[in-house]
Amino acid sequence: MPARKLATHLGVRIVSPLSIKGLTQNAIEAITDPDSGFSAVTILAQPTPFIIYNHKHTPARQESDLMHELAHLIEDHSPVSFTMMGKLPCRSFNPSHESEAEWLGGCLQICRDGLVWAIREGLSDSEIAEHFGASLEMVQFRRRMTGVDRQIQRNRR
């Protein structure tokens, strides 16, 4: 299921910095600059949480970032906190939560059964990436981590 569809199902809004009222063009450029390191962040607003994503990333990267953030919500992780280091806000996070969200986000983007189906259908990694809206790196990661290639080879014997 694509990330935006899953977000709708979960009652989560997806917004880019462009749609945030009061955010200046300079702030938007600073946030979305490739050197900023910003991909996405979840805001636990009531009644509807929302995810702000970097609209300048590729669609495949956006899909991965959104799935990662949705994984945090599904796992009910506590939100990141910000502390000030001088005049700069610094984000703190739970490494365990990040690992869980990375794993679940990948599973949500390319589920194991879907990956098995795609390989059995003879799709190339590029075709699998296109089918699931993923990057080639995500497809290769999921193939390595799930062990589906070994499973399929054993079943063919």
PDB file of all heavy atoms in Angstrom, residues 11-41:
ATOM      1  N   GLY A  11      -5.383   8.086   9.370  1.00  0.00           N
ATOM      2  CA  GLY A  11      -5.833   9.407   9.795  1.00  0.00           C
ATOM      3  C   GLY A  11      -4.688  10.385   9.998  1.00  0.00           C
ATOM      4  O   GLY A  11      -4.771  11.261  10.862  1.00  0.00           O
ATOM      5  N   VAL A  12      -3.645  10.247   9.203  1.00  0.00           N
ATOM      6  CA  VAL A  12      -2.463  11.106   9.302  1.00  0.00           C
ATOM      7  C   VAL A  12      -2.389  11.980   8.055  1.00  0.00           C
ATOM      8  O   VAL A  12      -2.527  11.484   6.933  1.00  0.00           O
ATOM      9  CB  VAL A  12      -1.178  10.244   9.415  1.00  0.00           C
ATOM     10  CG1 VAL A  12       0.066  11.120   9.461  1.00  0.00           C
ATOM     11  CG2 VAL A  12      -1.250   9.327  10.622  1.00  0.00           C
ATOM     12  N   ARG A  13      -2.190  13.271   8.252  1.00  0.00           N
ATOM     13  CA  ARG A  13      -2.039  14.183   7.119  1.00  0.00           C
ATOM     14  C   ARG A  13      -0.574  14.233   6.692  1.00  0.00           C
ATOM     15  O   ARG A  13       0.326  14.138   7.523  1.00  0.00           O
ATOM     16  CB  ARG A  13      -2.498  15.595   7.466  1.00  0.00           C
ATOM     17  CG  ARG A  13      -4.000  15.720   7.646  1.00  0.00           C
ATOM     18  CD  ARG A  13      -4.483  17.143   7.891  1.00  0.00           C
ATOM     19  NE  ARG A  13      -3.711  17.806   8.926  1.00  0.00           N
ATOM     20  CZ  ARG A  13      -3.184  19.031   8.812  1.00  0.00           C
ATOM     21  NH1 ARG A  13      -3.346  19.727   7.719  1.00  0.00           N
ATOM     22  NH2 ARG A  13      -2.506  19.569   9.802  1.00  0.00           N
ATOM     23  N   ILE A  14      -0.350  14.394   5.400  1.00  0.00           N
ATOM     24  CA  ILE A  14       0.985  14.518   4.832  1.00  0.00           C
ATOM     25  C   ILE A  14       1.081  15.921   4.235  1.00  0.00           C
ATOM     26  O   ILE A  14       0.252  16.301   3.412  1.00  0.00           O
ATOM     27  CB  ILE A  14       1.221  13.478   3.711  1.00  0.00           C
ATOM     28  CG1 ILE A  14       0.929  12.059   4.180  1.00  0.00           C
ATOM     29  CG2 ILE A  14       2.610  13.627   3.120  1.00  0.00           C
ATOM     30  CD1 ILE A  14       1.882  11.521   5.196  1.00  0.00           C
ATOM     31  N   VAL A  15       2.092  16.692   4.663  1.00  0.00           N
ATOM     32  CA  VAL A  15       2.246  18.058   4.165  1.00  0.00           C
ATOM     33  C   VAL A  15       3.713  18.338   3.832  1.00  0.00           C
ATOM     34  O   VAL A  15       4.617  17.768   4.431  1.00  0.00           O
ATOM     35  CB  VAL A  15       1.740  19.107   5.181  1.00  0.00           C
ATOM     36  CG1 VAL A  15       0.262  18.915   5.484  1.00  0.00           C
ATOM     37  CG2 VAL A  15       2.541  19.066   6.463  1.00  0.00           C
ATOM     38  N   SER A  16       3.900  19.210   2.866  1.00  0.00           N
ATOM     39  CA  SER A  16       5.259  19.663   2.559  1.00  0.00           C
ATOM     40  C   SER A  16       5.460  21.008   3.257  1.00  0.00           C
ATOM     41  O   SER A  16       4.479  21.672   3.619  1.00  0.00           O
ATOM     42  CB  SER A  16       5.452  19.807   1.048  1.00  0.00           C
ATOM     43  OG  SER A  16       4.957  21.045   0.592  1.00  0.00           O
ATOM     44  N   PRO A  17       6.693  21.423   3.434  1.00  0.00           N
ATOM     45  CA  PRO A  17       6.927  22.731   4.061  1.00  0.00           C
ATOM     46  C   PRO A  17       6.247  23.877   3.303  1.00  0.00           C
ATOM     47  O   PRO A  17       5.928  24.900   3.893  1.00  0.00           O
ATOM     48  CB  PRO A  17       8.451  22.873   4.021  1.00  0.00           C
ATOM     49  CG  PRO A  17       8.964  21.483   3.991  1.00  0.00           C
ATOM     50  CD  PRO A  17       7.945  20.709   3.188  1.00  0.00           C
ATOM     51  N   LEU A  18       6.001  23.688   2.013  1.00  0.00           N
ATOM     52  CA  LEU A  18       5.356  24.724   1.207  1.00  0.00           C
ATOM     53  C   LEU A  18       3.951  25.062   1.701  1.00  0.00           C
ATOM     54  O   LEU A  18       3.469  26.176   1.494  1.00  0.00           O
ATOM     55  CB  LEU A  18       5.273  24.290  -0.262  1.00  0.00           C
ATOM     56  CG  LEU A  18       6.592  24.103  -0.984  1.00  0.00           C
ATOM     57  CD1 LEU A  18       6.371  23.458  -2.348  1.00  0.00           C
ATOM     58  CD2 LEU A  18       7.321  25.429  -1.115  1.00  0.00           C
ATOM     59  N   SER A  19       3.287  24.099   2.347  1.00  0.00           N
ATOM     60  CA  SER A  19       1.902  24.325   2.777  1.00  0.00           C
ATOM     61  C   SER A  19       1.775  24.780   4.228  1.00  0.00           C
ATOM     62  O   SER A  19       0.666  24.917   4.733  1.00  0.00           O
ATOM     63  CB  SER A  19       1.087  23.044   2.565  1.00  0.00           C
ATOM     64  OG  SER A  19       1.585  22.021   3.386  1.00  0.00           O
ATOM     65  N   ILE A  20       2.899  25.044   4.880  1.00  0.00           N
ATOM     66  CA  ILE A  20       2.853  25.484   6.268  1.00  0.00           C
ATOM     67  C   ILE A  20       2.781  27.001   6.310  1.00  0.00           C
ATOM     68  O   ILE A  20       3.717  27.685   5.885  1.00  0.00           O
ATOM     69  CB  ILE A  20       4.073  24.958   7.059  1.00  0.00           C
ATOM     70  CG1 ILE A  20       4.057  23.430   7.035  1.00  0.00           C
ATOM     71  CG2 ILE A  20       4.048  25.482   8.490  1.00  0.00           C
ATOM     72  CD1 ILE A  20       5.283  22.799   7.630  1.00  0.00           C
ATOM     73  N   LYS A  21       1.671  27.497   6.803  1.00  0.00           N
ATOM     74  CA  LYS A  21       1.465  28.944   6.871  1.00  0.00           C
ATOM     75  C   LYS A  21       2.489  29.588   7.786  1.00  0.00           C
ATOM     76  O   LYS A  21       2.817  29.066   8.842  1.00  0.00           O
ATOM     77  CB  LYS A  21       0.054  29.263   7.351  1.00  0.00           C
ATOM     78  CG  LYS A  21      -0.996  28.890   6.350  1.00  0.00           C
ATOM     79  CD  LYS A  21      -2.388  29.212   6.852  1.00  0.00           C
ATOM     80  CE  LYS A  21      -3.374  28.800   5.784  1.00  0.00           C
ATOM     81  NZ  LYS A  21      -4.699  28.652   6.236  1.00  0.00           N
ATOM     82  N   GLY A  22       2.995  30.719   7.363  1.00  0.00           N
ATOM     83  CA  GLY A  22       3.932  31.478   8.177  1.00  0.00           C
ATOM     84  C   GLY A  22       5.385  31.092   7.967  1.00  0.00           C
ATOM     85  O   GLY A  22       6.278  31.752   8.477  1.00  0.00           O
ATOM     86  N   LEU A  23       5.625  30.019   7.230  1.00  0.00           N
ATOM     87  CA  LEU A  23       7.000  29.606   6.956  1.00  0.00           C
ATOM     88  C   LEU A  23       7.505  30.413   5.766  1.00  0.00           C
ATOM     89  O   LEU A  23       6.914  30.386   4.686  1.00  0.00           O
ATOM     90  CB  LEU A  23       7.028  28.110   6.642  1.00  0.00           C
ATOM     91  CG  LEU A  23       8.289  27.333   6.930  1.00  0.00           C
ATOM     92  CD1 LEU A  23       8.759  27.517   8.368  1.00  0.00           C
ATOM     93  CD2 LEU A  23       8.082  25.860   6.656  1.00  0.00           C
ATOM     94  N   THR A  24       8.573  31.143   5.975  1.00  0.00           N
ATOM     95  CA  THR A  24       9.101  31.997   4.913  1.00  0.00           C
ATOM     96  C   THR A  24       9.799  31.163   3.844  1.00  0.00           C
ATOM     97  O   THR A  24      10.196  30.023   4.091  1.00  0.00           O
ATOM     98  CB  THR A  24      10.111  33.016   5.470  1.00  0.00           C
ATOM     99  OG1 THR A  24      11.265  32.293   5.935  1.00  0.00           O
ATOM    100  CG2 THR A  24       9.505  33.847   6.599  1.00  0.00           C
ATOM    101  N   GLN A  25       9.968  31.760   2.690  1.00  0.00           N
ATOM    102  CA  GLN A  25      10.675  31.086   1.601  1.00  0.00           C
ATOM    103  C   GLN A  25      12.106  30.754   2.013  1.00  0.00           C
ATOM    104  O   GLN A  25      12.619  29.688   1.689  1.00  0.00           O
ATOM    105  CB  GLN A  25      10.674  31.953   0.332  1.00  0.00           C
ATOM    106  CG  GLN A  25      11.199  31.243  -0.891  1.00  0.00           C
ATOM    107  CD  GLN A  25      10.394  29.996  -1.268  1.00  0.00           C
ATOM    108  OE1 GLN A  25       9.178  29.946  -1.111  1.00  0.00           O
ATOM    109  NE2 GLN A  25      11.085  28.969  -1.736  1.00  0.00           N
ATOM    110  N   ASN A  26      12.738  31.651   2.771  1.00  0.00           N
ATOM    111  CA  ASN A  26      14.101  31.381   3.256  1.00  0.00           C
ATOM    112  C   ASN A  26      14.124  30.171   4.183  1.00  0.00           C
ATOM    113  O   ASN A  26      15.035  29.352   4.112  1.00  0.00           O
ATOM    114  CB  ASN A  26      14.673  32.600   3.986  1.00  0.00           C
ATOM    115  CG  ASN A  26      15.072  33.700   3.042  1.00  0.00           C
ATOM    116  OD1 ASN A  26      15.196  33.486   1.835  1.00  0.00           O
ATOM    117  ND2 ASN A  26      15.274  34.894   3.576  1.00  0.00           N
ATOM    118  N   ALA A  27      13.132  30.061   5.044  1.00  0.00           N
ATOM    119  CA  ALA A  27      13.058  28.919   5.957  1.00  0.00           C
ATOM    120  C   ALA A  27      12.819  27.630   5.178  1.00  0.00           C
ATOM    121  O   ALA A  27      13.443  26.601   5.468  1.00  0.00           O
ATOM    122  CB  ALA A  27      11.956  29.129   6.987  1.00  0.00           C
ATOM    123  N   ILE A  28      11.944  27.688   4.189  1.00  0.00           N
ATOM    124  CA  ILE A  28      11.661  26.511   3.367  1.00  0.00           C
ATOM    125  C   ILE A  28      12.928  26.060   2.649  1.00  0.00           C
ATOM    126  O   ILE A  28      13.260  24.870   2.627  1.00  0.00           O
ATOM    127  CB  ILE A  28      10.520  26.795   2.367  1.00  0.00           C
ATOM    128  CG1 ILE A  28       9.207  26.989   3.121  1.00  0.00           C
ATOM    129  CG2 ILE A  28      10.408  25.671   1.335  1.00  0.00           C
ATOM    130  CD1 ILE A  28       8.073  27.525   2.274  1.00  0.00           C
ATOM    131  N   GLU A  29      13.653  27.006   2.078  1.00  0.00           N
ATOM    132  CA  GLU A  29      14.904  26.667   1.379  1.00  0.00           C
ATOM    133  C   GLU A  29      15.921  26.065   2.342  1.00  0.00           C
ATOM    134  O   GLU A  29      16.625  25.113   2.003  1.00  0.00           O
ATOM    135  CB  GLU A  29      15.477  27.901   0.681  1.00  0.00           C
ATOM    136  CG  GLU A  29      14.661  28.371  -0.504  1.00  0.00           C
ATOM    137  CD  GLU A  29      14.547  27.339  -1.620  1.00  0.00           C
ATOM    138  OE1 GLU A  29      15.545  26.641  -1.899  1.00  0.00           O
ATOM    139  OE2 GLU A  29      13.451  27.218  -2.190  1.00  0.00           O
ATOM    140  N   ALA A  30      16.003  26.601   3.545  1.00  0.00           N
ATOM    141  CA  ALA A  30      16.960  26.086   4.537  1.00  0.00           C
ATOM    142  C   ALA A  30      16.598  24.659   4.949  1.00  0.00           C
ATOM    143  O   ALA A  30      17.471  23.800   5.084  1.00  0.00           O
ATOM    144  CB  ALA A  30      16.997  26.996   5.761  1.00  0.00           C
ATOM    145  N   ILE A  31      15.313  24.407   5.138  1.00  0.00           N
ATOM    146  CA  ILE A  31      14.853  23.083   5.560  1.00  0.00           C
ATOM    147  C   ILE A  31      15.094  22.043   4.472  1.00  0.00           C
ATOM    148  O   ILE A  31      15.529  20.928   4.748  1.00  0.00           O
ATOM    149  CB  ILE A  31      13.350  23.113   5.918  1.00  0.00           C
ATOM    150  CG1 ILE A  31      13.116  23.925   7.183  1.00  0.00           C
ATOM    151  CG2 ILE A  31      12.790  21.705   6.092  1.00  0.00           C
ATOM    152  CD1 ILE A  31      11.653  24.239   7.438  1.00  0.00           C
ATOM    153  N   THR A  32      14.795  22.410   3.225  1.00  0.00           N
ATOM    154  CA  THR A  32      14.837  21.434   2.135  1.00  0.00           C
ATOM    155  C   THR A  32      16.169  21.398   1.398  1.00  0.00           C
ATOM    156  O   THR A  32      16.327  20.613   0.471  1.00  0.00           O
ATOM    157  CB  THR A  32      13.700  21.710   1.136  1.00  0.00           C
ATOM    158  OG1 THR A  32      13.843  23.039   0.607  1.00  0.00           O
ATOM    159  CG2 THR A  32      12.341  21.551   1.796  1.00  0.00           C
ATOM    160  N   ASP A  33      17.110  22.195   1.824  1.00  0.00           N
ATOM    161  CA  ASP A  33      18.442  22.171   1.219  1.00  0.00           C
ATOM    162  C   ASP A  33      19.037  20.774   1.389  1.00  0.00           C
ATOM    163  O   ASP A  33      18.904  20.165   2.455  1.00  0.00           O
ATOM    164  CB  ASP A  33      19.335  23.211   1.911  1.00  0.00           C
ATOM    165  CG  ASP A  33      20.707  23.276   1.293  1.00  0.00           C
ATOM    166  OD1 ASP A  33      21.575  22.493   1.723  1.00  0.00           O
ATOM    167  OD2 ASP A  33      20.900  24.102   0.382  1.00  0.00           O
ATOM    168  N   PRO A  34      19.688  20.242   0.359  1.00  0.00           N
ATOM    169  CA  PRO A  34      20.265  18.892   0.475  1.00  0.00           C
ATOM    170  C   PRO A  34      21.220  18.729   1.660  1.00  0.00           C
ATOM    171  O   PRO A  34      21.340  17.640   2.215  1.00  0.00           O
ATOM    172  CB  PRO A  34      21.007  18.706  -0.848  1.00  0.00           C
ATOM    173  CG  PRO A  34      20.347  19.640  -1.791  1.00  0.00           C
ATOM    174  CD  PRO A  34      19.872  20.806  -0.968  1.00  0.00           C
ATOM    175  N   ASP A  35      21.886  19.789   2.070  1.00  0.00           N
ATOM    176  CA  ASP A  35      22.819  19.709   3.189  1.00  0.00           C
ATOM    177  C   ASP A  35      22.134  19.776   4.552  1.00  0.00           C
ATOM    178  O   ASP A  35      22.784  19.574   5.574  1.00  0.00           O
ATOM    179  CB  ASP A  35      23.865  20.828   3.094  1.00  0.00           C
ATOM    180  CG  ASP A  35      24.772  20.650   1.884  1.00  0.00           C
ATOM    181  OD1 ASP A  35      25.002  19.486   1.488  1.00  0.00           O
ATOM    182  OD2 ASP A  35      25.237  21.657   1.341  1.00  0.00           O
ATOM    183  N   SER A  36      20.833  20.054   4.572  1.00  0.00           N
ATOM    184  CA  SER A  36      20.138  20.200   5.853  1.00  0.00           C
ATOM    185  C   SER A  36      19.939  18.857   6.556  1.00  0.00           C
ATOM    186  O   SER A  36      19.786  18.807   7.767  1.00  0.00           O
ATOM    187  CB  SER A  36      18.772  20.871   5.661  1.00  0.00           C
ATOM    188  OG  SER A  36      17.844  19.961   5.084  1.00  0.00           O
ATOM    189  N   GLY A  37      19.896  17.783   5.790  1.00  0.00           N
ATOM    190  CA  GLY A  37      19.668  16.472   6.385  1.00  0.00           C
ATOM    191  C   GLY A  37      18.204  16.199   6.694  1.00  0.00           C
ATOM    192  O   GLY A  37      17.865  15.162   7.254  1.00  0.00           O
ATOM    193  N   PHE A  38      17.308  17.120   6.333  1.00  0.00           N
ATOM    194  CA  PHE A  38      15.885  16.945   6.654  1.00  0.00           C
ATOM    195  C   PHE A  38      15.212  16.039   5.640  1.00  0.00           C
ATOM    196  O   PHE A  38      15.269  16.277   4.445  1.00  0.00           O
ATOM    197  CB  PHE A  38      15.167  18.301   6.686  1.00  0.00           C
ATOM    198  CG  PHE A  38      13.676  18.169   6.855  1.00  0.00           C
ATOM    199  CD1 PHE A  38      13.139  17.772   8.067  1.00  0.00           C
ATOM    200  CD2 PHE A  38      12.821  18.426   5.803  1.00  0.00           C
ATOM    201  CE1 PHE A  38      11.766  17.625   8.226  1.00  0.00           C
ATOM    202  CE2 PHE A  38      11.452  18.287   5.946  1.00  0.00           C
ATOM    203  CZ  PHE A  38      10.922  17.893   7.159  1.00  0.00           C
ATOM    204  N   SER A  39      14.564  15.000   6.152  1.00  0.00           N
ATOM    205  CA  SER A  39      13.784  14.091   5.306  1.00  0.00           C
ATOM    206  C   SER A  39      12.305  14.200   5.629  1.00  0.00           C
ATOM    207  O   SER A  39      11.494  14.462   4.762  1.00  0.00           O
ATOM    208  CB  SER A  39      14.240  12.655   5.509  1.00  0.00           C
ATOM    209  OG  SER A  39      15.577  12.502   5.103  1.00  0.00           O
ATOM    210  N   ALA A  40      11.967  13.986   6.907  1.00  0.00           N
ATOM    211  CA  ALA A  40      10.571  14.051   7.334  1.00  0.00           C
ATOM    212  C   ALA A  40      10.521  14.078   8.853  1.00  0.00           C
ATOM    213  O   ALA A  40      11.458  13.638   9.518  1.00  0.00           O
ATOM    214  CB  ALA A  40       9.790  12.844   6.806  1.00  0.00           C
ATOM    215  N   VAL A  41       9.412  14.585   9.353  1.00  0.00           N
ATOM    216  CA  VAL A  41       9.202  14.612  10.804  1.00  0.00           C
ATOM    217  C   VAL A  41       7.702  14.482  11.065  1.00  0.00           C
ATOM    218  O   VAL A  41       6.877  14.979  10.297  1.00  0.00           O
ATOM    219  CB  VAL A  41       9.768  15.903  11.441  1.00  0.00           C
ATOM    220  CG1 VAL A  41       9.023  17.138  10.966  1.00  0.00           C
ATOM    221  CG2 VAL A  41       9.770  15.815  12.956  1.00  0.00           C
TER     222      VAL A  41
END
